[in-house]
Structures are given as C-alpha cells and as structure tokens.
Amino acid sequence: EAGVAQSPRYKIIEKRQSVAFWCNPISGHATLYWYQQILGQGPKLLIQFQNNGVVDDSQLPKDRFSAERLKGVDSTLKIQPAKLEDSAVYLCASSFGTSKRETQYFGPGTRLLVL
Amino acid sequence: AQKITQTQPGMFVQEKEAVTLDCTYDTSDQSYGLFWYKQPSSGEMIFLIYQGSYDEQNATEGRYSLNFQKARKSANLVISASQLGDSAMYFCAMREGGTGGSYIPTFGRGTSLIVHP
C-alpha cells in the first residue's frame, strides 16, 4: 500500500514570494491534515479536511495561507506572500475518518526555507 | 493553556533499560483519544500506540505501553528494553471533539530520546 506522498521535498524561496505544496493521501482515506512543524517544536495543525470540506482551520493564518482539496483526494497548501517565520517543515497526514481513535499516517514532509 | 504538556525536552537511557516519557493533557471532554508518535531524524512521523478515554486497561503494543492515569490526566509512554533504533523525538497527541462530531488532533512539543550503547 502506498503511503502519503508529498512534493516537493525541499523548497527555498525569498520572503514575499509564493510557494505551493502538494499532498496525495493514502487511497481510501477521507481525512487529510496539513501541519506546520517549526524546528524544535511539535506539529501544529493548520487545516483538517473531511473529503473536500473543511473540518477545522482555526490555526490557519488565512491572510497568507490557503488550502484546497477540490476532488476530495489530493490537496494543495499555498503561502502567499511568504515570511521568514514560515520556515518550517510542512507535514501532510491522512486517516480513514475523524473519530477519536483515528491513527494518522504522515508523509515525509516538505522543508521550506524562507530567506 | 497548553493542551498537551511534555516536560522532558531530552531523555537519555542505556540500551536494554526501560524509559518513561511523560505526557499530561488538558481537556474538558469525556470522550477523547491519546496517541504517541515517534519521529526519527529522517522526519517521518510513525504511530506507536493509542489509548481511548474510556479504556480501563492500559494500552500495550510490543515494547510500548501507555500508563494511563485519567484522574491525573496523564498518559506516559513506557518503552521497555530500549534499543539504539529507539533514538528519536517522541510526541504525545490528543484527539478531542470539535465541531460537527469530528475529533481534532493536538500535539505536544516532544521529548528527544537518546539511547546509549
């Protein structure tokens, strides 16, 4: 069974530029998550999708971050414009559903450096 | 207030010994789930163990066990017979109820475990 796929693996941009990350979840997983993990910290949930609907985006900085999951499968996270403090690893995860016992399966992450 | 607190930034253990990683959580929900994940230096998060809030027995998965003390809101991970490959970051996480019946995950800051030969 293929795992969660993410691309690119690494990205270096200058501040004020825009960047987009792509995620393809495990086949059959209805729930998709995007996390931001700053060096030395735990993952911070940015947005949680159930199929193509948003379950939670309370910690997504909506003035610069956006995410979509148009067909309920793969998803794109965009930052526009990027700031220095956006340098982090962006993790995508998926699970079958949103119950309290759902295990999340994580992708390898995208390491973003904003100069 | 932090929902998940991991007070040990770093832990060291001798190979083959047991180690306990601490986790306390804060929720007013009665129904929630608790998880531990491992993140090796390669970066990919790996699920280790799950404990439901209504589960009376402590969860076990091979060398991993979860010491669940509900009244203290504590969910410590115990690794028995540590191996060199256990060296990694360990994250405690909780899923609690959000809008529409979905459960939303929150992670702690993590504990770095180093296993010495």
Side-chain angles (χ1 to χ4, degrees):
Chain A
E1 179 182 86
V4 176
Q6 289 188 247
S7 68
R9 293 296 309 277
Y10 305 90
K11 191 74 177 178
I12 300 174
I13 61 172
E14 295 190 348
K15 61 183 179 183
R16 292 187 289 272
Q17 286 187 325
S18 63
V19 64
F21 312 127
W22 175 82
C23 172
N24 189 257
I26 291 173
S27 177
H29 280 191
T31 308
L32 185 147
Y33 315 77
W34 283 104
Y35 289 90
Q36 180 192 59
Q37 187 175 20
I38 292 172
L39 189 63
Q41 298 183 20
K44 171 186 160 186
L45 180 68
L46 294 176
I47 190 166
Q48 178 175 334
F49 290 98
Q50 175 74 2
N51 297 310
N52 60 351
V54 175
V55 172
D56 186 273
D57 63 357
S58 57
Q59 298 191 93
L60 185 75
K62 298 179 184 66
D63 57 334
R64 298 184 301 107
F65 286 64
S66 64
E68 60 183 16
R69 194 184 183 200
L70 292 175
K71 296 183 179 179
V73 181
D74 56 354
S75 176
T76 303
L77 176 71
K78 296 179 182 177
I79 308 175
Q80 182 178 10
K83 293 186 175 181
L84 297 178
E85 58 261 37
D86 297 333
S87 294
V89 176
Y90 291 84
L91 296 169
C92 179
S94 69
S95 65
F96 278 112
T98 60
S99 75
K100 69 176 182 180
R101 67 176 305 120
E102 291 292 342
T103 297
Q104 295 175 79
Y105 297 85
F106 285 80
T110 296
R111 294 181 183 273
L112 173 67
L113 179 61
V114 183
L115 301 175
Chain B
Q2 291 282 329
K3 285 187 177 290
I4 299 287
T5 302
Q6 295 182 252
T7 58
Q8 306 153 313
M11 290 285 286
F12 297 86
V13 66
Q14 196 83 20
E15 194 178 8
K16 299 179 186 174
E17 291 187 347
V19 62
T20 297
L21 306 184
D22 294 342
C23 173
T24 57
Y25 58 92
D26 182 25
T27 182
S28 56
D29 287 4
Q30 295 300 309
S31 177
Y32 51 89
L34 297 161
F35 300 77
W36 278 91
Y37 287 85
K38 172 184 178 181
Q39 189 176 42
S41 56
S42 59
E44 198 153 335
M45 290 279 231
I46 302 164
F47 164 74
L48 295 178
I49 196 166
Y50 164 80
Q51 178 87 39
S53 59
Y54 295 122
D55 295 343
E56 295 185 351
Q57 301 245 351
N58 286 338
T60 59
E61 290 283 350
R63 295 187 298 112
Y64 304 108
S65 60
L66 198 152
N67 184 357
F68 181 45
Q69 298 186 47
K70 192 171 182 177
R72 294 186 175 186
K73 293 188 176 178
S74 166
N76 297 340
L77 177 71
V78 180
I79 305 175
S80 63
S82 297
Q83 301 172 356
L84 296 179
D86 293 336
S87 295
M89 285 292 293
Y90 288 80
F91 292 95
C92 181
M94 175 174 63
R95 293 190 76 120
E96 59 179 338
T99 57
S102 295
Y103 284 77
I104 310 301
T106 305
F107 282 77
R109 293 180 66 96
T111 295
S112 174
L113 176 66
I114 296 176
V115 181
H116 289 298

